[in-house]
Amino acid sequence: MSVILAKSAGFCYGVERAVKLAEQTAREKGSCVMLGSIIHNAHVVQDLEALGARQVDDVSQVQPGETVIIRSHGETRQVYQQLEALGAEVVDATCPFVKRIHRLVQEAEAEGRTPVIIGTRTHPEVVGIASWCWRGMVFEGPEELERWAALPETSPGLPICLVSQTTLTANLWNLCVKIVKKQFTNFRIFDTICKATEYRQKEAAHMSEICQAMVVVGDAKSSNTSRLAMICREHCGKVILVDQASQLEPDFFRGVSDVGITAGASTPAWII
Ligand code: F3S
């Protein structure tokens, strides 16, 4: 059986930066707080906890004056305000590509535009982006966007600014762009899909076309990883998503001559 490993597999720039910042802070301070999962990978989180980084789910669990690491997905404006009120020292590991989207929606609103955000409504990155503006609209995909655009109260002349979650697929994005260009007359469109994600998704699509089976390595809670598995399933009938090698069964590979391996942005190289 031949095994093809995706060139893009493993940590992306933003996740690597966040993990390094968390490691460095934990070593320097002896203790610090990770607000939410710094990345969607239980193994990495455990290693950081061993260095003295305590994970909390909510800002209410932060003690006054503690050092708090903001994860790569970013946080809401309200969380920054609460941390400031607590006198916390903030180590901001928000990925610069996500920070850019925060700025874009803020600036759009200052110009009188309605920010239109495409992404998974409940995903922390999208919740964070939506919090940096007051009148942002969030749609999960082209169907929702089209329904809203067709409402009688949605004026075709409404000035809008279109952005997306960094991990959105190019396919969904292109459909949304088409709708905006068709239904609105005053728009600004910013392609905010992370290029690392786009490359990873394209590579996974290509590999799943030529391989008989695909193994996607990563945490199922990661949007990046679950979208990769979704893309692979569009082209290949045999796809498995695992968090570690021990979850693989020999039966899965029976009769398979070529297997491809890809991994989400939160998967450390040693797991792959
Ligand atoms: Fe940033 Fe892209 Fe990774 S947005 S966190 S570099 S997937």
Side-chain angles (χ1 to χ4, degrees):
M1 184 172 70
S2 77
V3 178
I4 307 171
L5 177 62
K7 289 197 186 79
S8 60
F11 279 0
C12 63
Y13 160 73
V15 167
E16 183 156 11
R17 177 176 171 272
V19 172
K20 275 193 183 145
L21 272 172
E23 273 174 8
Q24 195 183 321
T25 308
R27 283 185 210 282
E28 276 171 22
K29 303 272 175 186
S31 77
C32 60
V33 177
M34 299 181 283
L35 188 52
S37 250
I38 194 96
I39 66 165
H40 289 302
N41 189 284
H43 308 282
V44 179
V45 170
Q46 277 162 18
D47 289 349
L48 291 168
E49 282 174 339
L51 288 175
R54 175 171 65 94
Q55 185 177 312
V56 300
D57 298 324
D58 191 85
V59 74
S60 63
Q61 294 163 275
V62 175
Q63 301 301 314
E66 280 192 301
T67 302
V68 179
I69 301 153
I70 306 275
R71 59 190 166 175
S72 57
H73 285 327
E75 264 305 343
T76 63
R77 180 159 36 188
Q78 293 74 16
V79 163
Y80 282 86
Q81 287 164 349
Q82 287 168 314
L83 289 173
E84 195 181 351
L86 277 170
E89 185 187 334
V90 172
V91 177
D92 199 343
T94 306
C95 175
F97 302 131
V98 177
K99 268 279 186 228
R100 173 178 174 246
I101 312 177
H102 294 177
R103 275 196 304 275
L104 286 174
V105 295
Q106 259 183 309
E107 286 165 11
E109 209 162 61
E111 280 173 17
R113 293 184 177 276
T114 298
V116 174
I117 304 152
I118 311 295
T120 306
R121 193 168 278 114
T122 51
H123 189 278
E125 182 192 321
V126 176
V127 174
I129 294 167
S131 78
W132 289 88
C133 51
W134 302 108
R135 298 182 312 276
M137 306 291 296
V138 179
F139 301 109
E140 300 241 336
E143 295 82 13
E144 282 189 16
L145 174 65
E146 197 158 36
R147 271 200 298 277
W148 173 69
L151 290 175
E153 57 269 35
T154 310
S155 160
L158 180 75
I160 67 168
C161 169
L162 185 70
V163 296
S164 82
Q165 183 176 0
T166 53
T167 51
L168 194 77
T169 61
N171 189 24
L172 286 180
W173 172 249
N174 292 336
L175 290 169
C176 292
V177 168
K178 232 184 207 171
I179 293 167
V180 165
K181 288 187 172 169
K182 188 170 157 217
Q183 304 282 359
F184 295 91
T185 54
N186 185 354
F187 49 79
R188 294 195 74 190
I189 296 174
F190 294 93
D191 178 351
T192 52
I193 296 178
C194 166
K195 295 304 162 222
T197 301
E198 203 174 344
Y199 174 65
R200 193 186 301 263
Q201 291 177 349
K202 273 192 187 149
E203 194 185 25
H206 175 66
M207 283 171 68
S208 54
E209 275 167 4
I210 58 170
C211 292
Q212 292 170 319
M214 284 296 296
V215 176
V216 181
V217 190
D219 193 319
K221 285 202 291 288
S222 155
S223 139
N224 193 296
T225 305
S226 44
R227 280 203 207 265
L228 271 185
M230 185 183 92
I231 289 168
C232 291
R233 288 194 183 103
E234 284 169 13
H235 306 281
C236 176
K238 211 167 196 194
V239 178
I240 189 167
L241 195 164
V242 294
D243 182 38
Q244 50 193 315
S246 60
Q247 293 167 343
L248 290 171
E249 298 287 345
D251 263 0
F252 178 79
F253 301 100
R254 213 172 294 284
V256 170
S257 55
D258 300 296
V259 59
I261 303 177
T262 183
S266 302
T267 310
W270 61 265
I271 289 187
I272 303 166

